[in-house]
Amino acid sequence: MRVLVAGGDGFCGWPTALYLSAQGYEVLVADNFSRRGWDEELGTESLTRISTLRERVDRWRELAGRGIGVAVGDLTDERFVYEVLEGFRPEAFVHFAEQRSAPYSMIDRSHAVFTQVNNVVGTLNLLYAIGELVPECHLIKLGTMGEYGTPNIDIEEGYITVEYKGRTDTLPYPKQPGSYYHLSKVHDSHNIMFACRTWGLRATDLNQGVVYNVETEETTSDPALTNRYDYDGIFGTALNRFCAQAASGNPITVYGEGGQTRGFIDIRDTVRCIELAANNPPGPGEFRVFNQFTEQWSVLELAHLVEKVARTLDLEPKLAHLNNPRVEKEAHYYNAANTRLLDLGLKPHLLNEETVERLLLTAMENRDRIHPETFVPQVDWRRPHYR
Ligand code: NAD
Ligand code: USQ
């Protein structure tokens, strides 16, 4: 199967491109390296040393004896999108190529506008190009569990059956996203659903939870294939960031009470979920939604787990409850369905002390690369800045 991985230089995209290539898929990566640029803008960098995409694919070809194609360009550039699809004619298009940080989207007006234009326009360009050139192509789009927010009822996989005034219908599940980034994913979902209904396209929206861990079998097979490890206050996500904090003697930053509960998934399961979606495409016109996470954790539970494992490595972890820079519930009901990928055969890697230990050890090995000032949360949800 020909699979195009957009955003294939990023944290989820690179391990996915490698994994699919290792399984025998013909893979083309498209990326504009904007993520590397945002690191420069923010004065941070991956905790692990990462090679350029060219070095990565060259080394993979030497090791695996098979190539991964590269197309450098921006999905918001309509000519680039059209030409890449015309040339490669993918059977599946895996779309990771968005600005994915909630805090980045909340910095100020220009970052919110950039995030929504980048994400929504990129996806729209793609829908038109698929519709005209490769209408059978299966769009596998990364959404987020954060599209749903934290409602006081169970979260379903995309749709909810509602009875109202004696009538019944199955409707898109209500969305209550918590940042302009998360909102961009909601807008994408609506646009994709419309294209499926109107043009008969086929798409899977993968509402992924927070991804933790950095290593997969392929990324650890050679230093040139190493995956990125984000830990800073803008791009670092809960568990990985807590490990970097504990490993470097900085406080583990729990925002507010820490009762915020989210779905989590190991990066090794992310890559497998993409393969399962690709191997089981929806029918024409179908807009399918899978909740892509394997277990629920509260932020405080994660912090305690990291503290416990850190002590076994003779670290002295400290936990700090910071004033929450975000507007979100800190204690709430959370029960989200996640059976559809399990039904397709996903065998989850559940979070355990061994994974936390690996993350801590990786962070300890790279301690000298940490910019401690970037641990401090800088973005305040409550204050709009025009700038
Ligand atoms: P990432 O920032 O590491 O990777 C995204 C990649 O897309 C980067 O390499 C970037 O250069 C590229 N990109 C961004 N905009 C582009 C554009 N307009 N044209 C071409 N390339 C572009 O992010 P990630 O953590 O790998 O996330 C990938 C996807 O998964 C995102 O859509 C994100 O919303 C989603 N997701 C991530 C997580 C997580 O915890 N990391 C959780 C849920 C969903
Ligand atoms: N949090 C802390 N301390 C920190 C960092 C975060 O308590 O130092 C809290 C946040 O307030 C939030 C929770 O941890 O309640 C998760 O925050 P996060 O930064 O780990 O993740 P989030 O902003 O939700 O975004 C990440 C990815 C995004 C993806 C999303 C999945 O960056 O691309 O869409 O996870 S989900 O959370 O399911 O929406």
Side-chain angles (χ1 to χ4, degrees), residues 7 9-13 31-35 38 73-75 96-98 100 118 142-143 181 185 208-211 228:
D9 187 45
F11 168 62
C12 297
D31 206 294
N32 66 351
F33 308 131
S34 50
R35 179 68 189 82
W38 301 327
D74 191 325
L75 293 195
F96 289 110
E98 298 205 328
R100 68 109 173 127
N118 186 64
L142 271 292
Y181 152 70
K185 295 285 191 186
Q208 187 168 235
V210 185
V211 182
R228 60 179 306 125

Side-chain angles (χ1 to χ4, degrees), residues 330-361:
E330 293 172 13
H332 58 87
Y333 179 77
Y334 199 78
N335 186 31
N338 64 344
T339 54
R340 299 197 66 185
L341 283 156
L342 298 172
D343 290 346
L344 290 179
L346 178 66
K347 301 269 179 292
H349 293 84
L350 296 180
L351 179 56
N352 57 27
E353 295 185 7
E354 200 186 319
T355 302
V356 175
E357 185 180 296
R358 271 301 307 150
L359 280 165
L360 283 164
L361 290 171

Side-chain angles (χ1 to χ4, degrees), residues 236-360:
T237 52
L239 181 72
N240 288 8
R241 174 166 153 82
F242 292 166
C243 289
Q245 290 169 330
S248 59
N250 286 280
I252 299 172
T253 54
V254 172
Y255 295 164
E257 287 179 43
Q260 301 93 310
T261 302
R262 301 286 183 268
F264 284 81
I265 182 167
D266 188 304
I267 186 80
R268 293 171 292 181
D269 291 336
T270 293
V271 304
R272 174 74 176 130
C273 288
I274 302 296
E275 183 187 27
L276 288 170
N279 287 351
N280 298 279
E286 190 182 347
F287 175 72
R288 189 173 65 167
V289 183
F290 296 164
N291 290 345
Q292 183 167 309
F293 71 94
T294 57
E295 53 192 323
Q296 299 183 176
W297 287 83
S298 76
V299 168
L300 192 58
E301 285 168 340
L302 287 182
H304 285 316
L305 176 64
V306 173
E307 257 189 318
K308 181 176 165 205
V309 182
R311 286 206 189 92
T312 67
L313 298 175
D314 291 332
L315 294 164
E316 289 172 11
K318 297 180 285 288
L319 198 150
H321 282 271
L322 305 191
N323 285 337
N324 197 335
R326 306 189 187 195
V327 176
E328 61 184 2
K329 289 181 196 146
E330 293 172 13
H332 58 87
Y333 179 77
Y334 199 78
N335 186 31
N338 64 344
T339 54
R340 299 197 66 185
L341 283 156
L342 298 172
D343 290 346
L344 290 179
L346 178 66
K347 301 269 179 292
H349 293 84
L350 296 180
L351 179 56
N352 57 27
E353 295 185 7
E354 200 186 319
T355 302
V356 175
E357 185 180 296
R358 271 301 307 150
L359 280 165
L360 283 164

Side-chain angles (χ1 to χ4, degrees), residues 52-338:
T52 63
L53 181 58
R54 181 47 62 199
E55 289 163 348
R56 284 172 155 183
V57 297
D58 285 351
R59 188 72 188 117
W60 177 246
R61 186 177 297 106
E62 287 164 15
L63 280 176
R66 64 173 73 237
I68 290 178
V70 172
V72 177
D74 191 325
L75 293 195
T76 65
D77 172 353
E78 67 275 11
R79 265 185 320 175
F80 170 73
V81 173
Y82 195 89
E83 283 165 15
V84 167
L85 261 72
E86 198 175 32
F88 188 63
R89 305 198 85 82
E91 291 155 277
F93 190 114
V94 186
H95 182 11
F96 289 110
E98 298 205 328
Q99 191 302 95
R100 68 109 173 127
S101 158
Y104 188 88
S105 75
M106 298 298 289
I107 292 175
D108 58 15
R109 184 200 56 83
S110 71
H111 287 81
V113 170
F114 170 77
T115 298
Q116 294 213 350
V117 170
N118 186 64
N119 296 0
V120 176
V121 172
T123 300
L124 265 176
N125 285 344
L126 198 51
L127 290 171
Y128 269 89
I130 290 176
E132 182 172 318
L133 294 167
V134 279
E136 292 301 312
C137 174
H138 172 197
L139 173 60
I140 301 171
K141 167 66 169 53
L142 271 292
T144 175
M145 283 303 292
E147 291 188 36
Y148 303 117
T150 52
N152 199 30
I153 58 171
D154 289 356
I155 294 173
E156 304 301 333
E157 299 199 61
Y159 298 91
I160 184 167
T161 300
V162 179
E163 245 187 73
Y164 184 66
K165 294 187 178 173
R167 302 183 67 83
T168 303
D169 204 352
T170 298
L171 300 168
Y173 194 94
K175 307 286 173 76
Q176 302 184 77
S179 72
Y180 281 119
Y181 152 70
H182 287 97
L183 272 154
S184 75
K185 295 285 191 186
V186 174
H187 304 329
D188 281 342
S189 295
H190 287 143
N191 288 342
I192 301 167
M193 181 188 275
F194 177 80
C196 291
R197 194 170 68 227
T198 309
W199 301 331
L201 302 192
R202 51 180 96 219
T204 305
D205 207 1
L206 295 172
N207 282 341
Q208 187 168 235
V210 185
V211 182
Y212 64 86
N213 198 0
V214 288
E215 297 180 339
T216 64
E217 195 181 323
E218 292 78 25
T219 65
T220 48
S221 61
D222 188 272
L225 306 180
T226 300
N227 196 15
R228 60 179 306 125
Y229 184 153
D230 297 310
Y231 68 90
D232 61 280
I234 305 277
F235 277 94
T237 52
L239 181 72
N240 288 8
R241 174 166 153 82
F242 292 166
C243 289
Q245 290 169 330
S248 59
N250 286 280
I252 299 172
T253 54
V254 172
Y255 295 164
E257 287 179 43
Q260 301 93 310
T261 302
R262 301 286 183 268
F264 284 81
I265 182 167
D266 188 304
I267 186 80
R268 293 171 292 181
D269 291 336
T270 293
V271 304
R272 174 74 176 130
C273 288
I274 302 296
E275 183 187 27
L276 288 170
N279 287 351
N280 298 279
E286 190 182 347
F287 175 72
R288 189 173 65 167
V289 183
F290 296 164
N291 290 345
Q292 183 167 309
F293 71 94
T294 57
E295 53 192 323
Q296 299 183 176
W297 287 83
S298 76
V299 168
L300 192 58
E301 285 168 340
L302 287 182
H304 285 316
L305 176 64
V306 173
E307 257 189 318
K308 181 176 165 205
V309 182
R311 286 206 189 92
T312 67
L313 298 175
D314 291 332
L315 294 164
E316 289 172 11
K318 297 180 285 288
L319 198 150
H321 282 271
L322 305 191
N323 285 337
N324 197 335
R326 306 189 187 195
V327 176
E328 61 184 2
K329 289 181 196 146
E330 293 172 13
H332 58 87
Y333 179 77
Y334 199 78
N335 186 31
N338 64 344

